[in-house]
Amino acid sequence: MTEIQTQRQVYRKAYNKRIKQETITHYGGICACCGESTIEFLAIDHIDGQGNIARRNNSKYASGGVPYYQKLKREGYPQGYRVLCHNCNQSFGAWGYCPHQTQKEKHIVN
């Protein structure tokens, strides 16, 4: 590996972290469900649950991540998105709800 390749990798890694941080911060910076704020655990979620459909319709952004953060930034950070941690996001996708919601509801009732 050449020194130039190493420099590019360092630059790319720093850029990827920065674009993710900017996007997550713009959309609130914490999980909208549980309040998690550790950047490594956070991702952007479609509020209406249409993420799979959006990815299928635009294969360039199918993998999400940095290309998707760049797209959101170019579009001026449109509405319809929120920050979720990976656990809450997975639960919403698989079950249609997150256990944190039911825990909050139980806490309010008691």
Side-chain angles (χ1 to χ4, degrees):
M1 185 174 303
T2 69
E3 185 177 336
I4 291 173
Q5 288 174 318
T6 304
Q7 290 172 346
R8 286 182 183 156
Q9 288 175 330
V10 168
Y11 172 80
R12 176 57 62 188
K13 192 171 186 176
Y15 171 80
N16 290 351
K17 286 181 180 182
R18 188 174 73 246
I19 191 75
K20 179 177 181 173
Q21 182 69 54
E22 288 174 11
T23 306
I24 296 294
T25 298
H26 179 82
Y27 285 105
I30 64 170
C31 178
C33 182
C34 72
E36 175 63 60
S37 62
T38 305
I39 189 72
E40 293 87 351
F41 297 149
L42 301 177
I44 297 297
D45 175 62
H46 288 75
I47 291 174
D48 60 9
Q50 299 299 312
N52 285 332
I53 293 168
R55 281 186 292 279
R56 274 188 238 124
N57 291 338
N58 195 342
S59 62
K60 181 178 179 182
Y61 306 107
S63 64
V66 172
Y68 206 77
Y69 300 143
Q70 291 169 322
K71 176 185 180 289
L72 292 173
K73 183 176 182 176
R74 273 193 312 275
E75 294 177 355
Y77 299 113
Q79 294 183 359
Y81 299 90
R82 64 183 171 186
V83 175
L84 287 179
C85 71
H86 293 296
N87 282 340
C88 294
N89 198 359
Q90 179 67 31
S91 184
F92 277 112
W95 301 97
Y97 70 94
C98 182
H100 294 121
Q101 292 177 322
T102 56
Q103 291 170 358
K104 289 177 189 174
E105 291 169 6
K106 288 177 186 176
H107 181 67
I108 292 170
V109 173
N110 292 332

